[in-house]
Amino acid sequence: MAVPEIRLKGFKGDLIKCPFSSVAKQYFVSNKRVHHQNLLSLSYGKIKKKDIKSKKGLLPASFDTYQIIKEGIIVFRFTDLQNDKKSLRVGIATEEGIISPAYVCVQCENVLAKYLYLQLYSYDLRKVFYSMGDGLRQTLSYNDVKEMPIFLPSENEQQAIAEYFKSLDSLIQSTTKKIASLKQMKSACLISMFPQEGETKPRVRFKGFEGEWEDISFKEISYLAGTKNKDNLSLESYSISNEFGFIPQNEQFENGGTMSNADKRMYYIVSPDSFAYNPARINVGSIGYDDLDKDVIVSSLYVVFKTDEDTYNPFLNYWFKTPMFKKMIDLYQEGGVRLYFFYDKLCNCHFRRPSNKEQQKIASFFRSLDSQISLLTQRLEKLKQIKSACLDKMFV
């Protein structure tokens, strides 16, 4: 019986089995004589315009070998079939243009184009590849797949499935845009809410706060705080992630990383409310603030430090993400093939610090932003998981 594992409510019965060639005819129109200038490319399931025109505004003559497609044409290409189930790049044209001859183009007959696109996207084409018994080839053509079985529900069910995935894609797209908007807002606030070079106070400030921020050096407010794990205590091993700061090594690296089975007596114990960073990677953001409620250990290559009681560390943690700090790293780091930013270089850096109350207010604002971004990111991941599961189980 040809029945999908998951089905939309209200639909039942077997699907109709037919060869791919009965619903998708190969479509090819040469650009040799037409010289169409609207160049298209396929990326992440969408066909988009690609601008690589010459200075005169025309495409090079080599694009005469491309093929013209029109709205509704399905474009696909099969690559690396030996290694990757998701080796199919597929999209539906929404406008007329030309696309590389490396792509196979088909025009749908007796099937909804969006439904066939989704079925192709969900299909494990390795089955077709292995059935050919040719281990040397890395791609498949239209002739190779024209007998590939396609399972069709009724037209109404095709439409319902297409609309369901359209709504999923809409949610994914809107959530992605919200995340991007919040990240853009955060980047702007990391500039406007901290004094820039030559400024004594920020351009944007919470109501009730005024006056200049204190100029202070890290030599004055910080001190080294890493202590060696001489007793080889069984503490959890952590790394510093560019994106997430402190993160358990078993989450950062497969099989726990190099520290999983190492003698940990030479590693540093990091107590709560400390900072740690990798001197060779701080230029790409590898600095973290330990807001955990327990001691952990990090590599002896890291620099571990604490600050004085007048510095609210969550506030300072956000200052470390500003362009100002990046400029200071670029100014003071030194080395040959690899550049380093050791603690003595950090001590040369200055930053401006407001009252503790204002530090807390600013940190609270950024934590709220991060919380929103995190929740939306989790939602986005869940939506993608739902879509992936539906692609696997709603098609035969």
Side-chain angles (χ1 to χ4, degrees), residues 156-199:
N156 286 340
E157 189 171 358
Q158 291 178 43
Q159 186 66 47
I161 291 171
E163 289 297 325
Y164 175 74
F165 278 95
K166 182 180 178 181
S167 65
L168 263 182
D169 286 339
S170 179
L171 286 171
I172 289 172
Q173 185 178 27
S174 63
T175 304
T176 301
K177 285 182 177 179
K178 288 177 183 177
I179 293 171
S181 179
L182 285 173
K183 287 184 176 180
Q184 187 177 19
M185 177 182 175
K186 180 180 176 181
S187 295
C189 289
L190 285 170
I191 295 174
S192 62
M193 296 182 68
F194 293 89
Q196 300 304 296
E197 189 173 359
E199 298 176 347

Side-chain angles (χ1 to χ4, degrees), residues 77-88 123-140:
R77 186 181 182 186
F78 309 113
T79 59
D80 300 325
L81 292 164
Q82 289 178 312
N83 303 314
D84 186 6
K85 177 182 176 180
K86 299 301 183 184
S87 56
L88 171 64
Y123 209 94
D124 186 355
L125 290 161
R126 290 177 299 179
K127 297 176 183 177
V128 180
F129 181 83
Y130 292 135
S131 70
M132 296 169 60
D134 187 349
L136 298 177
R137 293 179 58 188
Q138 292 295 311
T139 62
L140 295 176

Side-chain angles (χ1 to χ4, degrees), residues 93-337:
T94 57
E95 61 182 319
E96 187 173 290
I98 58 172
I99 198 161
S100 168
Y103 289 100
V104 177
C105 301
V106 296
Q107 186 166 10
C108 294
E109 295 182 358
N110 305 314
V111 65
L112 188 68
K114 180 66 174 179
Y115 175 83
L116 184 60
Y117 156 77
L118 290 167
Q119 184 159 116
L120 281 174
Y121 195 85
S122 69
Y123 209 94
D124 186 355
L125 290 161
R126 290 177 299 179
K127 297 176 183 177
V128 180
F129 181 83
Y130 292 135
S131 70
M132 296 169 60
D134 187 349
L136 298 177
R137 293 179 58 188
Q138 292 295 311
T139 62
L140 295 176
S141 67
Y142 175 81
N143 286 334
D144 295 325
V145 297
K146 64 182 182 180
E147 299 301 323
M148 180 175 67
I150 296 293
F151 296 88
L152 297 180
S154 67
E155 186 176 341
N156 286 340
E157 189 171 358
Q158 291 178 43
Q159 186 66 47
I161 291 171
E163 289 297 325
Y164 175 74
F165 278 95
K166 182 180 178 181
S167 65
L168 263 182
D169 286 339
S170 179
L171 286 171
I172 289 172
Q173 185 178 27
S174 63
T175 304
T176 301
K177 285 182 177 179
K178 288 177 183 177
I179 293 171
S181 179
L182 285 173
K183 287 184 176 180
Q184 187 177 19
M185 177 182 175
K186 180 180 176 181
S187 295
C189 289
L190 285 170
I191 295 174
S192 62
M193 296 182 68
F194 293 89
Q196 300 304 296
E197 189 173 359
E199 298 176 347
T200 60
K201 53 188 176 182
R203 303 166 196 171
V204 175
R205 208 163 185 180
F206 287 105
K207 188 176 180 180
F209 296 103
E210 56 185 23
E212 297 183 346
W213 287 18
E214 176 188 16
D215 180 56
I216 199 162
S217 72
F218 279 90
K219 184 177 181 180
E220 297 175 77
I221 59 101
S222 69
Y223 55 94
L224 290 172
T227 57
K228 289 292 178 67
N229 184 28
K230 295 179 180 179
D231 296 327
N232 204 23
L233 300 175
S234 182
L235 299 173
E236 190 171 5
S237 304
Y238 270 67
S239 290
I240 306 297
S241 160
N242 301 349
E243 185 176 359
F244 303 109
F246 272 90
I247 185 171
Q249 271 224 338
N250 59 9
E251 293 182 20
Q252 176 82 333
F253 302 104
E254 189 177 351
N255 300 322
T258 57
M259 291 175 63
S260 57
N261 299 312
D263 185 334
K264 299 181 175 68
R265 283 175 291 187
M266 292 302 294
Y267 292 97
Y268 284 130
I269 297 174
V270 182
S271 60
D273 206 34
S274 300
F275 287 95
Y277 70 87
N278 184 337
R281 290 185 56 79
I282 193 172
N283 61 313
V284 294
S286 290
I287 183 169
Y289 167 58
D290 180 6
D291 57 356
L292 306 170
D293 57 358
K294 61 180 181 180
D295 289 347
V296 298
I297 55 173
V298 297
S299 167
S300 58
L301 297 175
Y302 285 12
V303 172
V304 183
F305 67 93
K306 285 180 174 288
T307 62
D308 65 10
E309 60 183 14
D310 293 325
T311 302
Y312 185 59
N313 282 336
F315 163 84
L316 182 58
N317 190 40
Y318 285 109
W319 182 84
F320 282 136
K321 296 175 173 61
T322 65
M324 286 292 294
F325 183 52
K326 179 65 168 63
K327 288 180 182 178
M328 292 181 187
I329 295 171
D330 292 340
L331 177 64
Y332 290 115
Q333 63 185 351
E334 62 181 9
V337 176

Side-chain angles (χ1 to χ4, degrees), residues 3-16:
V3 178
E5 188 175 340
I6 295 177
R7 210 159 189 181
L8 295 177
K9 188 177 180 180
F11 297 102
K12 58 184 180 180
D14 288 356
L15 307 187
I16 299 173

Side-chain angles (χ1 to χ4, degrees), residues 352-371:
R352 287 192 174 272
R353 183 179 67 182
S355 67
N356 197 275
K357 188 175 181 181
E358 189 170 1
Q359 291 179 54
Q360 292 184 42
K361 186 73 174 178
I362 292 169
S364 177
F365 169 78
F366 280 104
R367 278 189 299 216
S368 177
L369 265 183
D370 282 343
S371 178

